[in-house]
Amino acid sequence: MNKFFEKVPFVDTVLKGIGQIMLQENRWTGLLFLIGIFIGSWESGIAVLASTSIGTLTAMKLKFDKSEINAGLYGFSAALVGVALSFIFQCTIMIWILVVVGGALAAIIQHFFISKKIPVFTFPFIIVIWISVFMLHHFTEIPPSELINAKAENLDYDDIITPINAFGEVIFQGGMLSAAIFFIAVFISSPAAALYGFMGSVIGAYLSHMNGEPIEQIHMGLFGFNAVLSAIVFSGFKRIDGLWVLLAVLITVGIDVFLIDNNILTKVGGVLTFPFVAGTWITLLIQKLIIPKQQN
């Protein structure tokens, strides 16, 4: 298989881009993510392939840094644009056009922040979707997809299943099988990231439950997927890593609950992964303020 990827490096880059959705530069993680998405919806699977490919091609045509392209850094926000649009709206011609355009824009925005050395994570995806949803709701009559209106499949209230579901919701997948595949995909790349992500989801579920959030949404993983991403960012094998994970998850869940309870951002598609981005930014700022003092 390695020889195949050497002969067709573009496929390797696209898969790594999909894997980078959960910060994993791993082709096999990306492949499993793609399989899980196709299990949930073939349209979403095609949309992810299209948007990730376009984002990667855009970076190549604009001659962005080759090592950054090969690491999949211009694919993951584009990938999320594709899956989000196909999840929120019925896949009309307009949506497919936006999948392509949005994937390219996500890569360009990603490059702007990378060039400024700003850890932007999934913020380019958020910008593209917020603008797209606002414009589509106000200037078109494209109906919502069946996916966004569907209830979670075989909703299980088991305490083990709930945090696994959060892995699925990172990529807009409500099916338990897809969620389990995503967890395994992260685990084969980084066991520490998978386990910290699992614990982050547990904390997110517990705190949202204590705050009185709807139990169905908690068990679907809707209050855990941002915590999963925040935990993965700070995961590691040092003792201090656990403290940073805990802090990031607490901040992320707090932002998530506040935005959802106050119906903020609902008109532009919801909070998406913004709580993760904001919570991680705040935690990184705290790190920057504290760590130099420890070194002096």
Side-chain angles (χ1 to χ4, degrees):
M1 286 299 292
N2 288 334
K3 291 184 178 180
F4 169 79
F5 290 117
E6 289 175 1
K7 292 181 180 179
V8 192
F10 183 74
V11 174
D12 185 51
T13 303
V14 168
L15 291 177
K16 286 181 180 177
I18 297 173
Q20 287 279 16
I21 291 175
M22 296 196 204
L23 294 90
Q24 305 304 306
E25 185 186 338
N26 186 302
R27 65 174 72 106
W28 304 113
T29 298
L31 179 60
L32 287 174
F33 283 175
L34 186 61
I35 291 171
I37 295 167
F38 265 104
I39 289 173
S41 165
W42 67 268
E43 289 177 320
S44 291
I46 293 175
V48 165
L49 275 177
S51 59
T52 310
S53 298
I54 291 297
T56 303
L57 285 171
T58 299
M60 294 170 66
K61 291 296 182 181
L62 295 179
K63 297 182 179 180
F64 296 160
D65 184 86
K66 190 173 182 180
S67 63
E68 294 170 354
I69 295 172
N70 292 339
L73 297 184
Y74 296 103
F76 66 94
S77 277
L80 285 169
V81 167
V83 72
L85 287 171
S86 64
F87 175 80
I88 297 170
F89 299 99
Q90 285 188 16
C91 289
T92 63
I93 294 177
M94 175 64 74
I95 295 302
W96 287 115
I97 292 173
L98 282 176
V99 165
V100 173
V101 175
L105 284 175
I108 292 170
I109 297 170
Q110 199 89 39
H111 179 258
F112 170 79
F113 285 104
I114 289 176
S115 66
K116 301 296 182 182
K117 300 187 184 302
I118 299 173
V120 71
F121 303 108
T122 58
F123 195 54
F125 144 70
I126 296 167
I127 294 173
V128 172
I129 292 301
W130 278 350
I131 294 173
S132 298
V133 170
F134 180 82
M135 298 294 287
L136 289 169
H137 280 165
H138 282 76
F139 299 106
T140 74
E141 295 182 357
I142 298 176
S145 71
E146 294 180 0
L147 293 172
I148 198 170
N149 289 324
K151 294 183 179 180
E153 299 176 4
N154 302 318
L155 186 63
D156 196 322
Y157 284 53
D158 187 274
D159 290 338
I160 299 297
I161 299 301
T162 296
I164 295 294
N165 286 340
F167 279 80
E169 292 294 345
V170 171
I171 321 181
F172 298 88
Q173 302 303 307
M176 196 165 60
L177 178 57
S178 294
I181 290 173
F182 293 167
F183 175 80
I184 293 169
V186 176
F187 190 87
I188 64 173
S189 174
S190 172
L195 295 175
Y196 268 120
F198 184 91
M199 291 308 301
S201 177
V202 170
I203 295 170
Y206 176 77
L207 292 177
S208 56
H209 178 68
M210 291 296 99
N211 195 57
E213 304 302 332
I215 193 67
E216 295 85 0
Q217 294 182 17
I218 293 172
H219 285 284
M220 287 171 64
L222 296 179
F223 287 94
F225 70 90
N226 276 292
V228 167
L229 292 172
S230 292
I232 288 174
V233 169
F234 295 97
S235 63
F237 295 100
K238 298 178 181 179
R239 290 182 181 179
I240 192 65
D241 294 332
L243 293 176
W244 289 120
V245 167
L246 179 60
L247 179 62
V249 167
L250 291 175
I251 295 172
T252 296
V253 174
I255 294 171
D256 196 12
V257 169
F258 173 79
L259 292 175
I260 291 174
D261 284 355
N262 291 279
N263 293 317
I264 301 173
L265 302 174
T266 53
K267 292 185 178 181
V268 291
V271 300
L272 304 175
T273 55
F274 180 72
F276 148 63
V277 173
T280 303
W281 280 344
I282 293 171
T283 306
L284 288 172
L285 178 60
I286 295 172
Q287 270 190 342
K288 189 175 181 180
L289 294 172
I290 292 178
I291 291 178
K293 294 181 180 179
Q294 293 176 340
Q295 294 175 344
N296 291 335

